[in-house]
């Protein structure tokens, strides 16, 4: 039996998961149109490689990765590109982004797929490129390109952790995926383990998902032939506590290791992927299918909460219609109630990061009472999984003492919302932390720009100075040469120079004399 460790704090909000786990994952029908954002991942926006009027096949590349941290984007079905323009997307900023709008032709016709026969015969660089071009990104919420996470340089990764904790209330897409497609997850995990050259794979699943745990254990046993026999694969049931699915907390629970402040899991020999990402890795390499769909939980104020396998780009409105959102729904939240954000509009498209849509109503999420002053009760301190002092961070953020907030490890805050959840004064603490972080980032960005401008100005000044100096030096050298020439002409000749000049003069006189006598001789001849 594996020894499990604890992280500080944590809370037990009502899980609200059973509503959406009563029926199997359903395939959402082909929507009337698909709006595919070209930035669904952390990093640079993919470069469009199609234009309005183009006919595309399902799985065809429509956005080329652009920059080191970027990922490819593909057509989710066959059809015609209606536009490549700015559209409103599912993002907390509520700002539009570049999207390709695709009108399906109804044939759902695949492009020629190129599955990898034996991934072990490929170099890590080739496999990384396949993940990048397959558009594989983290499906746990952050959408970080997976090819970057397997580029670990010289660091030795001992443990690959698969995150199947899914600790946020309402969300069940990973649970259902683990129950229904455990074999593909295990095979994807083995590909990731191979790429990282890790010694063991630990799949962490909260103990409130016994069916998922059983399915994964069975898949490991059944997948024996494709797994490396000298490596360890283990499904670990971890205690159900929020936010146990956060990467640092999961690593702590499974291994006892702490990821130091400002460091990455790879710095302590661990790498973490979501179970749905491992599933996408399997699809991308073994089937050759790029990431064009995902499982999403549609729940909350709906008649039939359920998980759907939906194409990326499907308007959320069409998905909530499938689950029959109730008339008193007044907002839609993407993600869970703890870390999610309200959608700017219900017609925005499903993206790779959309794990859950909660139809919200006043009945489910009553408006919070007005915030009251902090009473220094320290309940927030007791529940903070990052071991911070949330009430101090709140104070510094509120008074705009950002330097002090940073000194109190503001950037270790994972924005889990546990502190806000327990605060008896109903202070929206996380909003203050987000505000402080964005202000610090904006100031650092401004400072960077100012530093760059200063360096450019200093370089310009130095160049002008150098040119001025070089010009003066050239002028001085010229003057010196002129002076030297002048002096040389004014100085008395050395004896040798006098001899040479006398010889030269004598030689010239001799030539002149010869020439004269020749003329006279000729004249005489003529006269005679
Ligand atoms: S829980 Fe709220 S009231 Fe209590 S110390 Fe923290 S911020 Fe203050
Ligand atoms: S939101 Fe930040 S400060 Fe609050 S409990 Fe979570 S990690 Fe701690």
């Amino acid at each position: 039996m594996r020894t499990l460790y604890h992280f500080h704090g944590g809370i037990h909000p009502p899980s609200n998961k059973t509503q959406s786990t009563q029926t199997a994952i359903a395939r959402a029908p082909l929507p009337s149109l698909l709006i595919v954002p070209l930035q669904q991942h952390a990093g640079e926006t993919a470069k469009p490689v199609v234009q309005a009027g183009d006919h595309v096949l399902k799985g065809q590349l429509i956005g080329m990765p652009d920059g080191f941290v970027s990922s490819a984007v593909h057509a989710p079905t066959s059809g015609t590109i209606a536009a490549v323009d700015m559209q409103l997307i599912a993002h907390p900023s509520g700002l539009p982004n570049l999207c390709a709008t695709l009108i399906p032709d109804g044939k759902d016709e695949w492009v020629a797929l190129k599955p990898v026969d034996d991934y072990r015969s490929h170099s890590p660089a080739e496999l990384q490129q396949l993940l990048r071009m397959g558009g594989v990104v983290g499906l746990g919420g952050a959408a970080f390109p997976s090819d970057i996470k397997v580029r670990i340089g010289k660091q030795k990764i001992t443990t690959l952790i698969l995150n199947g904790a899914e600790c946020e209330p309402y969300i069940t897409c990973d649970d259902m995926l683990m129950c229904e497609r455990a074999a593909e997850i295990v095979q994807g995990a083995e590909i990731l383990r191979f790429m990282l050259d890790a010694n063991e794979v630990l799949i962490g699943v909260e103990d409130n998902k016994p069916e998922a745990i059983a399915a994964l254990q069975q898949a490991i046993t059944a997948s024996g032939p494709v797994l490396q026999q000298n490596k360890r694969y283990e499904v670990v049931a971890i205690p159900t506590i929020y936010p146990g699915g956060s990467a640092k907390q999961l690593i702590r629970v499974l291994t006892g290791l702490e990821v130091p402040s400002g460091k990455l899991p790879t710095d302590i020999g661990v790498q973490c992927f979501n179970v749905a990402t491992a599933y996408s890795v399997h699809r991308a390499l073994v089937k050759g299918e790029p990431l064009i769909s995902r499982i999403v939980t549609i729940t909350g104020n709906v008649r039939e909460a359920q998980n759907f396998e939906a194409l990326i780009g499907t308007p959320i409105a069409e998905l909530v219609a499938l689950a029959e959102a109730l008339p008193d729904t007044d907002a839609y939240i993407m993600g869970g109630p703890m870390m999610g954000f309200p959608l700017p509009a219900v017609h925005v498209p499903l993206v790779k990061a959309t794990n859950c849509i909660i139809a919200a109503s006043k009945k489910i999420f009553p408006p919070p009472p007005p915030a009251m002053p902090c009473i220094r009760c320290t309940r927030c301190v007791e529940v903070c999984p990052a071991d911070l002092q949330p009430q101090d961070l709140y104070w510094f953020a509120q008074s705009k003492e950002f330097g002090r907030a940073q000194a109190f490890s503001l950037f270790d805050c994972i924005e889990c919302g546990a502190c806000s959840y327990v605060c008896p004064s109903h202070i929206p603490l996380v909003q203050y932390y987000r505000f402080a972080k964005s202000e610090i980032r904006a100031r650092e960005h401004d400072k960077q720009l100012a530093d760059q401008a200063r360096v450019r100005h200093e370089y310009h000044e130095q160049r002008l100075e150098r040119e001025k100096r070089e010009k003066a030096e050239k002028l001085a050298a010229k003057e010196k040469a002129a002076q030297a020439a002048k002096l040389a002409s004014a100085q008395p000749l050395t004896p040798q120079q006098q001899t040479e000049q006398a010889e030269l003069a004598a030689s010239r006189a001799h030539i002149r004399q010869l020439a004269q006598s020749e003329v006279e001789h000729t004249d005489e001849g003529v006269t005679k």
Side-chain angles (χ1 to χ4, degrees), residues 384-386 390 413-419 430 433:
C384 177
C413 166
I414 55 170
E415 300 178 16
C416 66
C419 50
V430 181
Y433 309 147

Side-chain angles (χ1 to χ4, degrees), residues 439-481:
E439 281 294 304
I440 292 167
R441 286 195 189 106
R443 286 178 188 197
E444 278 174 0
H445 182 246
D446 287 351
K447 187 174 169 298
Q448 255 177 14
L449 290 181
D451 285 349
Q452 282 168 4
R454 182 177 47 73
V455 168
R456 265 201 313 275
H457 176 72
E458 282 173 4
Y459 179 77
H460 178 71
E461 292 285 299
Q462 280 170 6
R463 188 167 58 81
L464 288 181
E465 196 61 37
R466 195 185 64 235
E467 284 174 2
K468 210 165 134 186
R469 199 174 57 241
E470 284 173 359
K471 214 167 164 182
E473 282 170 2
K474 267 187 198 161
L475 202 67
K478 222 169 170 179
E479 278 175 6
K480 201 171 162 189

Side-chain angles (χ1 to χ4, degrees), residues 284-474:
L285 297 192
V286 179
K287 306 267 183 206
E289 294 175 10
L291 207 171
I292 54 165
S293 66
R294 69 154 298 145
I295 315 296
V296 56
T297 309
I298 308 291
T299 186
N301 196 38
V302 295
R303 205 171 304 279
E304 290 286 339
Q306 198 176 359
N307 281 279
F308 293 95
E309 179 161 23
L311 295 177
I312 302 300
T314 304
I316 300 291
E318 298 200 21
L319 294 172
V320 296
L322 293 174
E324 297 180 55
L326 297 172
D328 59 333
T329 299
D330 52 16
Y332 292 94
I333 295 167
M334 178 168 137
M338 304 298 291
M339 297 179 79
F341 63 91
L343 290 176
V346 72
H347 65 264
V348 296
L350 179 93
V351 289
K352 294 175 185 178
T354 314
N355 51 5
C356 180
I357 298 293
I358 305 176
S361 69
K362 291 194 177 51
K363 199 169 66 220
I364 299 179
F365 301 118
M372 304 288 284
C374 171
I375 53 169
R376 310 292 288 182
C377 66
T378 70
R379 280 195 213 171
C380 51
V381 181
E382 286 159 24
V383 299
C384 177
D387 225 345
L388 303 174
Q389 300 289 321
Q391 83 286 22
D392 290 336
L393 291 176
Y394 157 64
W395 182 256
F396 298 140
Q398 192 193 35
S399 56
K400 299 191 179 170
E401 291 179 76
F402 300 129
R404 296 190 73 189
Q406 262 184 295
F408 273 62
S409 308
L410 172 69
F411 282 92
D412 284 348
C413 166
I414 55 170
E415 300 178 16
C416 66
C419 50
S420 309
Y421 184 79
V422 297
C423 178
S425 295
H426 310 292
I427 303 171
L429 296 164
V430 181
Q431 288 177 24
Y432 283 95
Y433 309 147
R434 285 187 186 140
F435 161 73
K437 284 182 186 179
S438 66
E439 281 294 304
I440 292 167
R441 286 195 189 106
R443 286 178 188 197
E444 278 174 0
H445 182 246
D446 287 351
K447 187 174 169 298
Q448 255 177 14
L449 290 181
D451 285 349
Q452 282 168 4
R454 182 177 47 73
V455 168
R456 265 201 313 275
H457 176 72
E458 282 173 4
Y459 179 77
H460 178 71
E461 292 285 299
Q462 280 170 6
R463 188 167 58 81
L464 288 181
E465 196 61 37
R466 195 185 64 235
E467 284 174 2
K468 210 165 134 186
R469 199 174 57 241
E470 284 173 359
K471 214 167 164 182
E473 282 170 2
K474 267 187 198 161

